[in-house]
């Protein structure tokens, strides 16, 4: 559900998933465009994997990757090393998003995920645990209260 397909790098997902569909018989792809958040979550709840973002200049994962975590889905998302290192330094958590170096690497990882249900479940569970530990209400409130105490 990109705001801007160019800024989110959607074209690399479209090309890689088109190739993957030719190699994996039962692979289906659903693009979500111009939908409400509720509608987007409905599609996500019926999905196996999220292709989140692959921007030309990666920063952090998208909010939809957090929602994917709630549904225990793995998420393909380019995360800048600075973001990954910041999260690791301040929380001790490693970002669980599936990263890739280029379109060929993305394609190969799509094939692995599409053909290995156990791996999808493991990566989805990792995303769920990450989101619970970093984005759930309690850890967010705890971090906020620590900031307030410092002022």
């Amino acid at each position: 559900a990109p705001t801007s397909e160019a800024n989110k790098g959607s074209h690399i997902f479209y090309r890689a998933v088109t190739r993957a569909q030719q190699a994996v018989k039962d692979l289906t792809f659903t693009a979500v465009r111009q939908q409400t958040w509720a509608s987007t979550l409905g599609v996500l709840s019926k999905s196996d994997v999220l292709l989140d973002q692959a921007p030309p200049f990666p920063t952090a994962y998208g909010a939809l990757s957090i929602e994917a975590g709630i549904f225990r889905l793995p998420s393909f998302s380019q995360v800048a090393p600075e973001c990954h290192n910041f999260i690791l330094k301040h929380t001790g958590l490693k970002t669980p998003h599936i990263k890739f170096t280029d379109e060929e690497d993305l394609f190969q990882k799509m094939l692995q995920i599409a053909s290995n249900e156990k791996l999808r479940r493991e990566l989805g569970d990792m995303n769920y645990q990450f989101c619970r530990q970093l984005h759930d209400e309690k850890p967010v409130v705890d971090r906020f209260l620590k900031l307030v105490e410092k002022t």
Side-chain angles (χ1 to χ4, degrees):
T3 307
S4 164
E5 289 187 1
N7 291 343
K8 295 285 187 172
S10 299
H11 61 283
I12 192 172
F13 287 127
Y14 297 151
R15 288 193 306 262
V17 81
T18 298
R19 287 179 60 204
Q21 285 178 309
Q22 294 169 359
V24 179
K25 182 177 92 166
D26 296 331
L27 178 66
T28 58
F29 172 74
T30 303
V32 180
R33 295 185 184 103
Q34 305 297 318
Q35 296 296 310
T36 65
W37 193 249
S39 169
T40 299
L41 293 180
V43 172
L44 191 60
S45 72
K46 298 173 189 152
S47 301
D48 293 319
V49 174
L50 171 67
L51 305 178
D52 184 23
Q53 56 186 17
F57 303 101
T59 54
Y61 50 90
L64 203 52
S65 276
I66 298 168
E67 302 291 359
I70 292 167
F71 291 111
R72 294 181 184 263
L73 301 179
S75 172
F76 283 84
S77 189
Q78 293 295 69
V79 179
E82 298 84 3
C83 175
H84 174 80
N85 293 338
F86 180 86
I87 291 170
L88 183 61
K89 177 181 176 184
H90 293 282
T91 68
L93 300 173
K94 293 183 179 180
T95 56
H97 308 97
I98 303 165
K99 299 163 197 69
F100 46 94
T101 55
D102 56 24
E103 191 173 325
E104 182 62 27
D105 187 39
L106 170 62
F107 168 69
Q108 293 300 325
K109 288 178 178 174
M110 279 185 178
L111 292 180
Q112 284 182 294
I113 298 295
S115 60
N116 189 332
E117 184 178 347
K118 182 179 180 209
L119 179 60
R120 279 196 310 272
R121 268 189 270 119
E122 288 172 358
L123 292 170
D125 286 343
M126 287 170 59
N127 196 17
Y128 174 78
Q129 291 303 326
F130 174 81
C131 289
R132 288 284 313 248
Q133 292 174 18
L134 187 62
H135 298 292
D136 210 30
E137 296 91 347
K138 183 172 178 1
V140 169
V141 170
D142 289 346
R143 285 193 306 274
F144 174 76
L145 291 175
K146 284 181 184 176
L147 289 172
V148 170
E149 290 171 359
K150 289 180 180 181
T151 59

